[in-house]
Amino acid sequence: MAATSPDEHARRAGQVRVAVDTGGTFTDVAVRRPDGSVEVWKVSSSPQAPDDAVVRGVEEALERGGADFGSVERFVHGTTVATNTLLTRTGARVGLVTTAGFADMLHIGHQSRSALYDLSVRRPAPLVPHELTWEVTERVASDGAVLVAPVAAELDGLAERIRAAAPEVVVVSLLNAYVDPAHEQRVVEHLRRAGAAPSVLAATSVTPEMREYERTSTAVISGYVQPAIADYLERLETRLAERAMPTRVWVMQSNGGLLGAGSAREHSVRTVLSGLVGGVVGAARWASQLGLPQVVSFDIGGTSTDIALIRDGVPGEMTSGELEGYPLRMPAVDVHTIGAGGGSIAWRDAGGSLRVGPQSAGARPGPVCYGRGGEQITVTDAHALLGRLGSSLLGGRLALDLDGARDRLAAFADELGLDEDEAAAGVLRVITATMARGVRKVSIERGIDPRDCVLMAFGGAGPLHATDLIRELGMKGAVVPPHPGIASAVGMLDAPVRHDFAAAAAATSAAELDTVARALEELTADAIRFLERRERVDPALVTVDRLVDARYLGQSHDLTVPWQADFAALRKAFDNAHLERYGFDDPDAVLEIVAVRASAVVEAPGAADLPRTSAEGAPPEPVETRSVRFGAHRHACPVYRRDDLPAGVELPGPLVLEQLDSTVVVAPGQVCHHDTFGFLHIHEERP
C-alpha cells in the first residue's frame, strides 16, 4: 500500500485545522477555516490533567467557528508536559547502565560553571541516583575497535539486580557507542528479553552523537519524561478518537517541526521545548511573508520572555543546550529565555535599589490587580496603574482590582522614597533594561546589530513592552501579529513535519571527504525511510537538508554548517560561521569534520498564505480617553478597539489598542498602522 502525505485522509473528510498550545495559566486554541480566517479561543489550563483543558478548549473553539471534531483535517499540539515533568521533578524512576568505571559520569559532569567565581553554585542533583546506576564490563575504543565485549552471564546477573531495584525506565549508555552502537544494542536487547524493566532504551537511539556526558544526560531526560508524555498523549488520542476526529495528533517538538504522537511517545525528549517554539515558528513564517529580513521574535508571558533571532525567515538553531542545568544534545530552535514577564515581582534589594524579577507571582495568586490574593507589585500592576491597561482584560472576563493594586503600590513606593507614578514607571524601566539585555544576547552576540532588526512582539504582554523596547534599542520598529496572545497556537497551524538524524564522521582533508559523503547518503536514506514508515509520509514530499559539524582541530566545540562536496567551499563556510559567532577565524588551522546531520522535512499540505483581513477605511473613533503615563509625564490617551483600525490608516501616539488576548501601547513620538494582513506596524515618527 502506498504511503500518503500527512493528513491526506483527513483533508478529504474535513475542512478546518486546529492548533492547541498549553500554558501554565491558559490553553490557547486556533482554528483555521477553509477561507483562511482564524478563530481563536482561550480557556483556563488544567495542570493536573492538561487534556481536560485541551478537549474543552477545542470543543468550544469549534462550536464558535461552526465546526465539529469530524471536520478537523489537521490537529497540532504544543505541550508543556515534558517541561513541567522535568521542572517539578515528577518524572519516572530511571536507572542507568554504563561502561565499567563510568558510574559517576552524571555526578562529575564537566567543568563548565554558570557563575565562575561563585563558590556556592551547585549543579542540580542527577536524575539517576547512585543506587540505580550499574556498570557492565565492556569497552569500545574511540575508533570503534572492540576492546572488551559484554558477556551474557554478566548481563544475566545485571538483569536480576535491575529487577530487584524496580526502575520504571533503564537507559543504557556505553562509552564511545556513538561510533559503534553494537554493544549498547546488545545490552538493551538482553535486558528487554530478561524483563529487567518496563522500558529499556539505548542512548544512541535518542542522540547518536559524541560527548558522553551530554549524550547520557539527554537519554536520561528522555527516559525520565517518557512515561508522563506517553500517558498524556494516549489519553488525549483516546478522547479525540471518541469524538470521531478523523486525523492524527501531531506534536510540536523542540526543533520547530512536528512528529506524530507515536514518535513523541518514543522520543519524548524532543518535546521538552514544545511549548516555547510554536510562536517562533509562526514568527519566522510571518517574517518571510512580510519581507522582513531580520526579526527578533519576542514572546512575553506571565513568568518569562522567550527571545529568538530570525534571519531571512529562518530561526536560529542549536545542537546542544541546557534545561534547568541538565545538558541536552539535540537540534532545537535557539530560544533565549529570561525570567521577566507580566508576573515578575518588583522588590527592593539590600542597597535600597529597585529590582524586578526573576521571581514571579505566577498564575496564582498572580498580580495584585487580578484580585486573587497577590500582595506584591508586579509588572502587570505597573502597567495597570500607569493607565496602559483598562479596568478589565480578556474582553471583560477578568475584572481588575485597581484600587487594591494602588494601595499596595503606595506602600511599596513609600519604601523606595518615590511617589506612586515614579515607582510604577521605575518598574517598567527596570524590566525594559532586563529585556533589552535578552535581545542583545540573541543579536549582538550573533554578530547582528539590533538597530537593523524589527521586533515581532507577541504573547499576552509582548505588545505592552514593544514600544519601550524598540526605543531603548533603536530598532527599526515593531510588528504585532493579529492574535498576539494566541500567536504560539496560530504559529503551529502550518508547522512542517520534521525529523533530525545524526551520525559520527571524521575527515580533515579533501581526500577523506568521500567517507563523509557516503555517511550523509546513508543518513538521508534512513531519514526518508523513517518518515515513510513511521509517519506515513509520501517519500516524494520529503526534502532533506544535509549538514556537518566541524571545528578547528584541537577545539572542544563545533559549529554546524551546510554540507558541500567541495572541501575549499566547506572550509570557507565554516570560517565565515566561526567569524560571525566568535569574532575571529583561523585560516591556518586544520578543519576537522566530526559528525553529519540530515534534517528531513515535509511541509504542511496546503500551507496558507497570509489572508487579507483588514479593510481600508477612515480613522476610527476612540472608545474612551484615558490618562496614561509615558516617561515622566501623563497624557490624555485615546483608546481604540484594534478590530476597528482599518488598513493603511496611520495613527500617531500616544494611544492604546485593546483586543481579546492582548493590549498594544504606542508611545508619544511613534506611529502605528495596520497592513492589509492585519499586522500592526509601530515605528518612530519620521522627520
Side-chain angles (χ1 to χ4, degrees), residues 591-616:
L591 181 67
E592 179 186 22
I593 296 172
V594 296
V596 293
R597 298 182 182 277
S599 179
V601 176
V602 182
E603 294 296 336
D609 292 329
L610 291 174
R612 296 185 182 275
T613 57
S614 295
E616 297 182 359

Side-chain angles (χ1 to χ4, degrees), residues 296-537:
V296 174
S297 166
F298 190 67
D299 179 3
I300 307 180
T303 302
S304 62
T305 297
D306 302 319
I307 311 170
L309 178 65
I310 298 167
R311 287 183 277 189
D312 297 322
V314 180
E317 290 194 10
M318 57 184 179
T319 57
S320 62
E322 277 193 358
L323 182 61
E324 288 296 292
Y326 296 110
L328 284 168
R329 185 74 174 172
M330 63 179 185
V333 173
D334 189 1
V335 180
H336 178 58
T337 300
I338 58 175
S344 294
I345 293 170
W347 52 287
R348 180 172 175 264
D349 67 16
S353 298
L354 172 62
R355 305 284 295 277
V356 183
Q359 300 88 352
S360 174
R364 295 282 180 177
V368 180
C369 64
Y370 283 8
R372 297 171 176 168
E375 297 181 351
Q376 296 173 289
I377 289 295
T378 67
V379 171
T380 297
D381 294 312
H383 281 299
L385 295 173
L386 292 176
R388 297 185 175 200
L389 297 177
S391 58
S392 64
L393 299 175
L394 298 177
R397 291 158 61 191
L398 176 60
L400 298 184
D401 180 10
L402 298 180
D403 291 337
R406 191 171 291 110
D407 290 344
R408 184 64 194 93
L409 178 65
F412 182 62
D414 188 58
E415 294 176 24
L416 296 170
L418 302 172
D419 68 33
E420 295 173 25
D421 265 15
E422 289 173 336
V427 170
L428 296 190
R429 285 198 301 273
V430 171
I431 204 69
T432 297
T434 300
M435 293 173 176
R437 286 196 298 272
V439 172
R440 293 187 183 101
K441 183 80 175 176
V442 304
S443 56
I444 292 175
E445 294 190 17
R446 302 290 187 270
I448 300 297
D449 190 333
R451 293 173 296 185
D452 296 329
C453 298
V454 170
L455 187 78
M456 189 165 291
F458 53 93
L464 278 170
H465 292 269
T467 184
D468 292 332
L469 203 59
I470 61 173
R471 183 164 285 178
E472 174 83 7
L473 292 166
M475 302 180 77
K476 283 186 172 182
V479 174
V480 182
H483 307 288
I486 310 180
S488 289
V490 176
M492 290 188 290
L493 283 168
D494 290 322
V497 176
R498 173 176 165 180
H499 282 267
D500 293 302
F501 301 81
T508 56
S509 67
E512 299 172 310
L513 216 53
D514 284 347
T515 61
V516 177
R518 286 195 296 272
L520 275 168
E521 291 296 337
E522 293 175 4
L523 208 60
T524 299
D526 290 343
I528 294 173
R529 279 196 299 270
F530 181 90
L531 286 178
E532 181 180 13
R533 295 172 182 175
R534 290 298 305 273
E535 305 295 16
R536 304 195 298 276
V537 165

Side-chain angles (χ1 to χ4, degrees), residues 192-211:
R192 285 175 178 169
R193 286 196 304 268
S199 177
V200 182
L201 61 93
T204 47
S205 70
V206 178
T207 175
E209 301 185 38
M210 63 188 299
R211 304 188 188 284

Side-chain angles (χ1 to χ4, degrees), residues 54-121:
V54 171
V55 173
R56 184 176 74 254
V58 173
E59 282 179 336
E60 294 177 4
L62 289 173
E63 183 178 350
R64 287 171 56 86
D68 56 30
F69 279 97
S71 65
V72 176
E73 69 169 15
R74 198 175 203 233
F75 187 96
V76 179
H77 185 25
T79 172
T80 56
V81 169
T83 311
N84 291 339
T85 299
L86 185 60
L87 296 180
T88 58
R89 303 295 190 272
T90 54
R93 179 177 163 86
V94 181
L96 172 65
V97 175
T98 189
T99 302
F102 289 85
D104 292 324
M105 182 193 311
L106 294 180
H107 296 266
I108 295 173
H110 49 51
Q111 293 301 308
S112 297
R113 296 172 63 90
S114 57
L116 187 59
Y117 300 107
D118 186 350
L119 299 180
S120 65
V121 169

Side-chain angles (χ1 to χ4, degrees), residues 182-383:
H183 284 187
E184 220 173 65
Q185 293 168 355
R186 179 177 171 185
V187 173
V188 167
E189 291 167 3
H190 196 107
L191 296 179
R192 285 175 178 169
R193 286 196 304 268
S199 177
V200 182
L201 61 93
T204 47
S205 70
V206 178
T207 175
E209 301 185 38
M210 63 188 299
R211 304 188 188 284
E212 303 302 331
Y213 173 49
E214 288 84 351
R215 184 167 63 89
T216 304
S217 173
T218 304
V220 165
I221 291 172
S222 192
Y224 188 74
V225 303
Q226 186 181 61
I229 281 286
D231 180 63
Y232 169 67
L233 291 177
E234 185 174 347
R235 291 200 317 269
L236 180 62
E237 285 186 300
T238 298
R239 296 180 68 174
L240 294 175
E242 289 172 350
R243 287 158 176 78
M245 190 179 79
T247 187
R248 64 193 303 194
V249 173
W250 293 101
V251 180
M252 176 61 70
Q253 55 181 321
S254 304
N255 63 10
L258 305 177
L259 73 168
S263 298
R265 287 194 288 268
E266 184 177 336
H267 303 283
S268 303
V269 72
R270 298 186 186 182
T271 69
V272 294
L273 301 180
S274 174
L276 300 182
V277 301
V280 180
V281 171
R285 184 177 301 106
W286 301 326
S288 178
Q289 293 174 325
L290 294 173
L292 303 174
Q294 294 187 147
V295 167
V296 174
S297 166
F298 190 67
D299 179 3
I300 307 180
T303 302
S304 62
T305 297
D306 302 319
I307 311 170
L309 178 65
I310 298 167
R311 287 183 277 189
D312 297 322
V314 180
E317 290 194 10
M318 57 184 179
T319 57
S320 62
E322 277 193 358
L323 182 61
E324 288 296 292
Y326 296 110
L328 284 168
R329 185 74 174 172
M330 63 179 185
V333 173
D334 189 1
V335 180
H336 178 58
T337 300
I338 58 175
S344 294
I345 293 170
W347 52 287
R348 180 172 175 264
D349 67 16
S353 298
L354 172 62
R355 305 284 295 277
V356 183
Q359 300 88 352
S360 174
R364 295 282 180 177
V368 180
C369 64
Y370 283 8
R372 297 171 176 168
E375 297 181 351
Q376 296 173 289
I377 289 295
T378 67
V379 171
T380 297
D381 294 312
H383 281 299

